[in-house]
Amino acid sequence: MNPLTHVAIIMDGNGRWGLKYKNSRNAGHKAGLITVEKIIKESIKNKIQFLTLYAFSTENWKRPKKEVKFLFSLLENFLKDKIDDLNKQKIKLKIIGKKNFSLNLNKLLIISEKKTSKNKRLQINLALNYGSKAELINAFKELKKNKETINEKNIRKYLQTKNIPDPDILIRTGNTKRLSNFLLWQAAYSEIFFEKKLWPDFNEKNYNKIIKNYKNIKRNFGNI
Ligand code: IPE
Ligand code: IPE
Ligand code: MG
């Protein structure tokens, strides 16, 4: 049975869910938060150490201003409401991606990271304004600036996920089979699961089924 340390999720399908059931994309984003809470709980039950959630990509700025604004207000309210509870559950929050939001949100993110920084039960990496290409470009620039050799170990050192093992499982919900600029380096050997369900419909049962399947996969890493 494969050990399971890190699950990464592309939480896709909120907009379509919202349009289908509530005639509003934003309603889908709100519903998606409930799934986030379910999956956090289930990750703890499964003793997973790292959960990386793709919440906003560097490309998502192309969306209508109204939707972008709603997404960040949702995040702000979620953190304000839940950070103490997450802290009590010994969850550590880490933001991956560039924090260039409103002053208030930037502050809230930094405070939330600080508050939970010593927690050891589950680390949630929230990918916000995250893009794998930007992350890699930044790493190469750092290597050049510091005149360091280009090798795997040194590249890793400058990734936002330094000190985090690569994801064992990568899940994308929403019936689309692509990576959308998510963890391109880190997912080199991840087991990838494309899930038909839209994110707000994804549940503990679906998650556990993926985990169970993963545990029985023969992972070769190039070997036989
Ligand atoms: C993913 O859901 C959440 C974010 C990108 C913020 P989408 O908003 O992409 O939902 P669909 O793919 O349009 O249904
Ligand atoms: C990927 O979903 C980003 C997040 C889930 C945050 P998108 O819906 O933005 O991806 P594309 O644009 O359809 O590839
Ligand atoms: Mg989408």
Side-chain angles (χ1 to χ4, degrees), residues 7 14 19 31 43 46 49 71 79 81 129 173 204 216-217:
V7 177
N14 288 348
L19 282 180
S43 299
N46 280 287
Q49 276 292 307
L71 278 167
L79 282 180
D81 279 3
N129 190 19
T173 61
E204 297 90 338
N216 293 311
I217 289 172

Side-chain angles (χ1 to χ4, degrees), residues 10-12 54-57 60 63 127 172 176 178-180:
I10 303 173
M11 309 182 287
D12 194 29
Y54 204 8
F56 195 87
S57 74
N60 286 145
R63 296 187 178 203
R172 180 178 188 136
T176 306
R178 56 178 174 249
L179 294 179
S180 303

Side-chain angles (χ1 to χ4, degrees), residues 50-65:
F50 299 92
L51 176 66
T52 301
L53 300 173
Y54 204 8
F56 195 87
S57 74
T58 45
E59 286 72 32
N60 286 145
W61 295 107
K62 293 176 191 162
R63 296 187 178 203
K65 263 203 185 110

Side-chain angles (χ1 to χ4, degrees), residues 96-139:
I96 61 168
K98 200 166 176 208
K99 289 190 198 78
N100 62 351
F101 313 106
S102 70
L103 211 61
N104 273 342
L105 182 54
N106 285 344
K107 261 195 213 156
L108 181 63
L109 293 171
I110 292 168
I111 290 171
S112 304
E113 284 184 303
K114 255 201 187 140
K115 201 178 234 176
T116 60
S117 67
K118 303 231 155 54
N119 292 337
K120 293 226 160 21
R121 185 182 275 155
L122 167 71
Q123 175 168 333
I124 298 176
N125 306 307
L126 193 61
L128 269 186
N129 190 19
Y130 172 87
S132 215
K133 289 184 179 176
E135 180 188 37
L136 285 165
I137 290 167
N138 178 63

